[in-house]
Amino acid sequence: MTILYPELTEEFRLSRLQPPTGKVNMVLDTDTFNEIDDQFALVHALLSPDKINLQAIYAAPFFNELSNGPKDGMEKSYDEIIRIVARLNKPSEGYVYKGSETYLPGKNKPVDSPAARDLIAKALAAPDDEPLYITAIGAITNVASAILLEPRIIEKIVVVWLGGHALQWPDANEFNLKQDVSAAQVIFDSGVPLVLVPCLGVASHLLTTLSEINTFVRGKGAIGDFLAERYESCAEDHFGYSRVIWDIATIAYFTDPDALVTELVHSPVLNDGLTWSHDASRHFIRYTRFVKRDIIFKSLFHKLDRHAASQD
């Protein structure tokens, strides 16, 4: 089938791409069990109620050594989300939704799911002057499916996605993006207002170590201990080892905007061979050039500290 996307004026799109200054309405789409960075990002969002009204959490599919397929990855991510919200005494009913069980079979072929349907409902209900921010930190299947099922939502949403590598990188062969190339192409081609946070060359600065985690995360309540255990278990040997916590960069866009250096660029063309092409006639997106590692981690550590103190 042919998808007819609403044609946004560039003035409208650029207004949506201005970094937010106040509290935003947001949903988070996450393959939470894929690595350990999604857990940190989800906790960061949940501990930032002054900046983020987190309205829903969606489980995204993934397939690697931790799952036996996209459906299993989504189910495991859903279970991990439940574990996290329980440790923060948050309800999961009507708040956490299962996403797609498969990737898009084509650029015009959505995959229906409870997550996609809830996203559509929340987007259409958003006030015209208050967009719903969709922060996606996994394969972007659920978001692309929602757009394909109801293209009108691009007038109501802003997508903030951690996917691909820096535009000057020789390829875009990054885990979130390469799992569902068709979904990524929908995001780049539909004209939806998009804030892109690349991995290698940008979010790859967000490294931390077990020593830092033990000092500033472990002991900070049930959720701090949970995150510390997840970090420690990610490697058998932590001697001289650091791990990148990519996904917290997307949350910092709302909580610590000075920590991201961004600019407007023309939406890249994602080729089937997982390379970027550039076309100056295409619409604009907001692109992240650099992230300030220390500001972002300090923000998260302070929130964990305050949360732990509030539990005493």
Side-chain angles (χ1 to χ4, degrees):
M1 64 178 176
T2 301
I3 305 296
L4 297 177
Y5 300 112
E7 293 188 11
L8 308 184
T9 67
E10 205 62 12
E11 180 182 11
F12 176 83
R13 185 181 291 105
L14 293 178
S15 70
R16 287 289 162 93
L17 292 176
Q18 288 297 312
T21 56
K23 186 173 181 177
V24 302
N25 296 319
M26 192 182 94
V27 296
L28 182 64
D29 189 75
T30 163
D31 58 346
T32 326
F33 198 71
N34 161 45
E35 285 191 278
I36 62 166
D37 51 336
D38 293 75
Q39 292 91 325
F40 280 79
L42 174 53
V43 170
H44 197 177
L46 288 167
L47 294 183
S48 303
D50 57 324
K51 293 290 187 178
I52 297 171
N53 173 26
L54 189 58
Q55 296 186 340
I57 308 165
Y58 306 138
F62 76 89
F63 181 26
N64 61 13
E65 68 279 0
L66 296 178
S67 71
N68 59 32
K71 177 182 178 181
D72 182 54
M74 183 277 292
E75 296 277 1
K76 286 178 175 174
S77 292
Y78 177 84
D79 292 341
E80 184 81 339
I81 295 167
I82 298 298
R83 284 188 281 270
I84 290 171
V85 297
R87 282 167 173 79
L88 288 171
N89 299 314
K90 306 277 188 184
S92 59
E93 187 69 27
Y95 190 55
V96 182
Y97 294 85
K98 292 185 177 182
S100 173
E101 297 181 354
T102 65
Y103 303 127
L104 266 64
K107 286 188 284 187
N108 295 331
K109 298 177 180 178
V111 181
D112 211 338
S113 69
R117 290 296 173 180
D118 185 74
L119 194 162
I120 291 169
K122 284 185 168 57
L124 292 178
D128 290 341
D129 59 346
E130 292 184 24
L132 176 68
Y133 285 84
I134 302 167
T135 299
I137 51 178
I140 202 156
T141 306
N142 295 332
V143 183
S145 292
I147 290 173
L148 293 173
L149 288 165
E150 180 46 89
R152 290 183 300 154
I153 68 172
I154 74 169
E155 300 174 322
K156 297 277 199 166
I157 63 177
V158 177
V159 177
V160 180
W161 185 38
L162 183 123
H165 296 317
L167 295 182
Q168 75 274 12
W169 217 256
D171 61 65
N173 189 19
E174 178 272 331
F175 184 73
N176 290 347
L177 184 150
K178 71 181 180 181
Q179 289 184 95
D180 197 343
V181 175
S182 292
Q185 289 171 330
V186 168
I187 298 302
F188 289 118
D189 297 346
S190 64
V192 65
L194 171 66
V195 179
L196 182 64
V197 183
C199 290
L200 288 180
V202 181
S204 49
H205 294 296
L206 293 170
L207 293 162
T208 189
T209 64
L210 182 59
S211 295
E212 187 173 51
I213 294 297
N214 283 338
T215 301
F216 299 113
V217 177
R218 194 180 300 277
K220 306 302 181 182
I223 196 61
D225 289 340
F226 176 85
L227 293 176
E229 289 301 322
R230 283 286 185 264
Y231 187 95
E232 185 168 14
S233 66
C234 75
E236 293 182 1
D237 183 4
H238 284 271
F239 182 79
Y241 175 85
S242 63
R243 179 99 175 188
V244 62
I245 309 296
W246 321 85
D247 293 338
I248 57 175
T250 61
I251 308 305
Y253 181 69
F254 305 100
T255 62
D256 300 277
D258 291 342
L260 277 70
V261 178
T262 67
E263 64 181 354
L264 295 170
V265 303
H266 296 283
S267 183
V269 177
L270 175 60
N271 302 310
D272 292 339
L274 298 183
T275 58
W276 300 119
S277 292
H278 305 282
D279 181 348
S281 69
R282 282 165 64 86
H283 61 278
F284 282 103
I285 67 169
R286 183 163 290 279
Y287 175 73
T288 309
R289 287 283 181 195
F290 184 73
V291 296
K292 299 177 182 178
R293 182 261 181 213
D294 291 354
I295 293 175
I296 295 173
F297 274 106
K298 283 180 180 179
S299 176
L300 173 61
F301 295 159
H302 280 311
K303 285 168 189 171
L304 285 167
D305 200 42
R306 288 194 294 268
H307 171 72
S310 73
Q311 305 301 300
D312 293 339

